[in-house]
Amino acid sequence: MTPRDATLATMAAVLWGFNLIAGKIGVGVAPPLFFTALRFLIVAALVVPFCPVERKHWPSLIFLSVCFGTGHFGLLFVGLAGVDAATAAITLQLGVPFSILISWLAFRENFGWRRSLALVLTFIGVAFLAGEPRNASSLSFFLLVTCTVFWAWSNILVKRMPDIRPLAITGWLSLFAAPQV
């Protein structure tokens, strides 16, 4: 990895971390679903006018908006309101093993014993680390775990998505998700 690539990867991780902190602050100021809808409206307003898609792609985008917009982000921000940001950050790491498991089911992708062991250790690790705070709501933790399943499922939907630019996918799923949440 070049120094430039390492810098970009680090910046992405830092920005993603601030995204979760901003979400935690946002759900402290506004009701979680209102905050989620407002977030989607802002993204849609900034992206949709510049990234048109054909009407024939709307069904795929609407289905993705239900899964990723409402299922993932809706549950994420409702769950985030009841746990601390650190617990949410750890719990959200379950998106990776759930993506692997769902891709195994959807695409019959194989993974060996090392990946199987890593999946088991990931679930155990999240259970230990995310279970540490005593003030976290069990319902909120369950919602966060469920949102990672929707995130994983969304990864599969994006992989099957017609040839649409990623920024257009983001804008249009935001447009369709805003009224849902």
Side-chain angles (χ1 to χ4, degrees):
M1 184 179 289
T2 67
R4 178 182 177 274
D5 292 341
T7 301
L8 290 173
T10 301
M11 285 176 50
V14 169
L15 289 173
W16 185 250
F18 281 119
N19 177 47
L20 190 59
I21 292 167
K24 182 65 178 171
I25 292 168
V27 299
V29 174
L33 294 178
F34 176 77
F35 177 76
T36 307
L38 185 60
R39 178 186 185 278
F40 283 135
L41 285 174
I42 292 169
V43 170
L46 293 172
V47 175
V48 168
F50 305 102
C51 297
V53 297
E54 296 177 43
R55 189 176 280 262
K56 69 180 182 180
H57 296 309
W58 284 17
S60 297
L61 290 165
I62 290 170
F63 189 56
L64 180 63
S65 75
V66 170
C67 188
F68 193 60
T70 304
H72 172 66
F73 278 105
L75 294 178
L76 167 64
F77 288 122
V78 172
L80 187 57
V83 299
D84 58 82
T87 298
I90 292 166
T91 305
L92 290 176
Q93 300 313 304
L94 289 175
V96 174
F98 281 133
S99 291
I100 293 169
L101 291 172
I102 292 173
S103 68
W104 171 66
L105 292 171
F107 301 115
R108 301 290 180 225
E109 293 180 1
N110 293 322
F111 51 92
W113 70 269
R114 286 186 180 108
R115 196 171 292 168
S116 298
L117 178 61
L119 289 173
V120 170
L121 291 175
T122 301
F123 285 111
I124 292 170
V126 168
F128 278 125
L129 294 173
E132 174 60 28
R134 303 292 181 238
N135 61 349
S137 158
S138 297
L139 175 61
S140 294
F141 180 73
F142 173 77
L143 292 175
L144 288 174
V145 171
T146 304
C147 96
T148 65
V149 174
F150 278 105
W151 185 9
W153 187 16
S154 299
N155 290 334
I156 303 305
L157 294 176
V158 168
K159 186 172 180 174
R160 292 182 171 171
M161 185 69 58
D163 189 26
I164 305 172
R165 294 187 342 238
L167 191 57
I169 292 172
T170 301
W172 285 86
L173 85 83
S174 295
L175 179 71
F176 293 131
Q180 296 169 31
V181 295

